[in-house]
Amino acid sequence: MTNPTASSPVGSLPPDLSGAVASTSDASSRGIEAPRAPRRRVRTGSNFEMYSWLFMRLSGIVLVVLVLGHLLIMNVLDGGVHRINWGFVAGRWASPFWQIWDLAMLWLAELHGANGLRVIINDYSRRPGTRFWLQVLLAVSVVLTVGLGSFVIFTFDPSMGS
Amino acid sequence: MTTSLVDESRAGGGAELPPIPDGAVMLTVNIQRFNPETDDAPHMESYRVPAQPGDRLLNVLHYIKWYIDGSLVFRRSCAHGVCGSDAMRINGRNRLACKILVKDLLGSNNKAEVTVEPIKGLPLLKDLIVNMEPFFDAYRAVKPFLIAHGNEPSKERIQSQTDRARFDDTTKCILCAACTTSCPVYWAEDAYVGPAAIVNAHRFIFDSRDDAADDRLEILSDSEGVWRCRTTFNCTDVCPRGIQVTKAIQEVKRALMFRRV
């Protein structure tokens, strides 16, 4: 690979000047790389798309467990959906385990779904303006949903309304 | 009896029709036609062609161009599945017209009808010809050539059979664009580099003699790079060379994730 700085080859200079050039510049400026030059490392730019791709896979795996467990508890086990009332919810959220379970489910499902929508918007919106505003709308909805959900899980008071 | 069903005035083209061979079936060929000088939008036209089951679809197209309607245009060069010029959408699937046989298009119910359209996702120029420049721009972007740093060896660059086998599959690409133009992500977003460019990057990324894997991985980790792939396998289905395109893309993703080739 030639060095881009070697734009003026030495051969085109008058003979009396070529020696001066050689003495004032190192070998690389003449397009000759030093023997066994170490391999150039490329700076790693933004890897956002890779992490987003990875997040979809990992959050998907975790969500399978969280959501199936949630469905089982809410709809199947021990009388299923018929026993769900204020007291049942209050009882579960009294335990930090279920608080964390529901919080993880909320965050992962919201971000997983939003990231999927982000990709779909990127694919199908034709004009940059449409894309931008759809993404803004999506971001606002994510902040609202995640914010409100987290707020409820953390501040839930069983004695509320009584 | 062979005439164009649509435009009798253009039929006949002047050439004398060749004799219809024994065992020929009358094939109805629906072709998407578009003349940018006269048409606002593409439209379909039908032709009736006597074809033998062993004929390639390219023979059928030649018959139409030479004996029925000389204004039909399509690309073809070697006609033997090597140059990759005549990729087109045949019965909805990207195929090389020179590799697909009439008997494979007749189907189980022997319905003698075939639909031919240009490949999708690239600007349509005329009839079956599309502008391939965006496709080759993406190809050029991944630097599809050997880049080696350090001193040139005085003999050939030695490579073990195991190292050669790693990228053997992706050396087969003939740049016909069948894979890229079958990709729904490419239809929706033509900034995506597309499967063909990734295949040709793969060919050099996994080559032990090449030193610029980092450069190419950097290009492919871009927002229009490999992470746009949704693994729909359309590309693998249509590749006329049988390249495992999706597998190659996944290998590039893995190389990016673990920063190791």
Side-chain angles (χ1 to χ4, degrees):
Chain A
M1 189 168 167
T2 55
N3 191 314
T5 58
S7 52
S8 62
V10 174
S12 66
L13 291 169
D16 55 321
L17 273 177
S18 60
V21 171
S23 64
T24 55
S25 61
D26 58 30
S28 66
S29 68
R30 286 178 287 152
I32 303 166
E33 283 185 43
R36 306 239 163 86
R39 266 180 59 178
R40 205 157 40 93
R41 296 303 300 181
V42 184
R43 61 174 177 83
T44 49
S46 159
N47 278 331
F48 177 73
E49 289 295 333
M50 182 182 89
Y51 290 121
S52 125
W53 184 87
L54 211 56
F55 171 76
M56 292 304 265
R57 269 87 199 147
L58 298 178
S59 64
I61 293 168
V62 179
L63 276 171
V64 166
V65 177
L66 291 179
V67 172
L68 285 183
H70 180 80
L71 282 176
L72 210 64
I73 292 162
M74 290 308 211
N75 296 327
V76 180
L77 295 180
D78 201 19
V81 75
H82 301 294
R83 75 202 143 120
I84 294 179
N85 53 27
W86 180 273
F88 179 77
V89 175
R92 283 186 78 218
W93 275 352
S95 148
F97 176 79
W98 293 115
Q99 273 192 326
I100 291 170
W101 181 297
D102 280 3
L103 195 74
M105 200 164 65
L106 170 73
W107 278 73
L108 289 178
E110 183 64 22
L111 292 180
H112 186 97
N115 194 27
L117 260 178
R118 178 187 71 88
V119 163
I120 292 170
I121 291 170
N122 275 341
D123 272 358
Y124 287 98
S125 58
R126 293 293 162 130
R127 286 181 298 130
T130 321
R131 180 172 304 178
F132 174 77
W133 286 114
L134 285 174
Q135 302 283 26
V136 167
L137 202 68
L138 179 67
V140 169
S141 79
V142 170
V143 170
L144 277 179
T145 315
V146 168
L148 187 66
S150 311
F151 177 75
V152 169
I153 291 174
F154 279 125
T155 62
F156 182 74
D157 178 7
S159 61
M160 223 186 323
S162 61
Chain B
M1 183 58 201
T2 307
T3 49
S4 160
L5 295 180
V6 252
D7 192 351
E8 291 295 334
S9 65
R10 276 195 296 183
E16 196 178 319
L17 293 177
I20 297 176
D22 290 336
V25 288
M26 285 310 285
L27 189 67
T28 304
V29 190
N30 305 307
I31 302 182
Q32 181 181 313
R33 302 294 307 268
F34 175 65
N35 182 351
E37 290 168 4
T38 57
D39 301 342
D40 292 329
H43 62 279
M44 300 301 288
E45 280 190 32
S46 295
Y47 306 88
R48 301 261 297 155
V49 178
Q52 285 184 294
D55 277 347
R56 302 161 301 170
L57 187 77
L58 185 66
N59 298 110
V60 174
L61 292 177
H62 276 154
Y63 190 98
I64 295 169
K65 184 169 177 65
W66 293 341
Y67 301 113
I68 303 177
D69 185 349
S71 71
L72 175 71
V73 295
F74 52 89
R75 283 198 184 99
R76 62 105 176 82
S77 186
C78 78
H80 290 81
V82 180
C83 71
S85 303
D86 59 353
M88 45 190 80
R89 208 147 30 109
I90 299 162
N91 284 348
R93 286 176 163 248
N94 284 358
R95 295 279 184 262
L96 296 185
C98 59
K99 278 193 87 172
I100 190 145
L101 301 182
V102 168
K103 67 178 174 197
D104 297 325
L105 293 167
L106 292 178
S108 50
N109 54 355
N110 259 23
K111 198 170 151 231
E113 189 164 1
V114 54
T115 304
V116 184
E117 295 154 292
I119 47 178
K120 210 172 173 177
L122 291 166
L124 182 61
L125 295 180
K126 187 176 182 181
D127 291 348
L128 298 174
I129 294 184
V130 295
N131 181 2
M132 298 284 282
E133 264 325 295
F135 172 79
F136 286 117
D137 283 344
Y139 172 62
R140 281 188 284 264
V142 299
K143 306 186 180 174
F145 39 82
L146 185 84
I147 299 173
H149 302 313
N151 297 325
E152 300 252 321
S154 53
K155 289 192 281 186
E156 79 266 37
R157 298 174 195 270
I158 308 260
Q159 185 169 50
S160 75
Q161 291 186 0
T162 322
D163 283 345
R164 176 64 177 73
R166 293 190 72 195
F167 62 93
D168 184 66
D169 200 32
T170 44
T171 59
K172 299 173 191 161
C173 179
I174 54 173
L175 295 172
C176 67
C179 58
T180 294
T181 56
S182 73
C183 175
V185 180
Y186 190 76
W187 297 337
E189 175 58 71
D190 54 12
Y192 172 47
V193 292
I198 300 172
V199 159
N200 285 281
H202 177 285
R203 183 253 171 272
F204 287 100
I205 288 170
F206 293 93
D207 188 336
S208 61
R209 300 164 294 188
D210 186 272
D211 288 334
D214 285 1
D215 279 6
R216 299 193 183 87
L217 288 175
E218 180 71 20
I219 294 158
L220 292 179
S221 71
D222 184 74
S223 62
E224 308 299 348
V226 286
W227 305 111
R228 272 197 174 267
C229 167
R230 305 287 140 72
T231 44
T232 58
F233 283 90
N234 280 15
C235 46
T236 306
D237 283 346
V238 299
C239 180
R241 305 302 309 266
I243 300 173
Q244 301 292 308
V245 183
T246 314
K247 184 175 172 228
I249 297 175
Q250 295 301 86
E251 283 173 359
V252 173
K253 282 180 187 166
R254 186 174 301 175
L256 264 170
M257 220 157 37
F258 298 111
R259 281 273 149 193
R260 195 176 59 202
V261 291

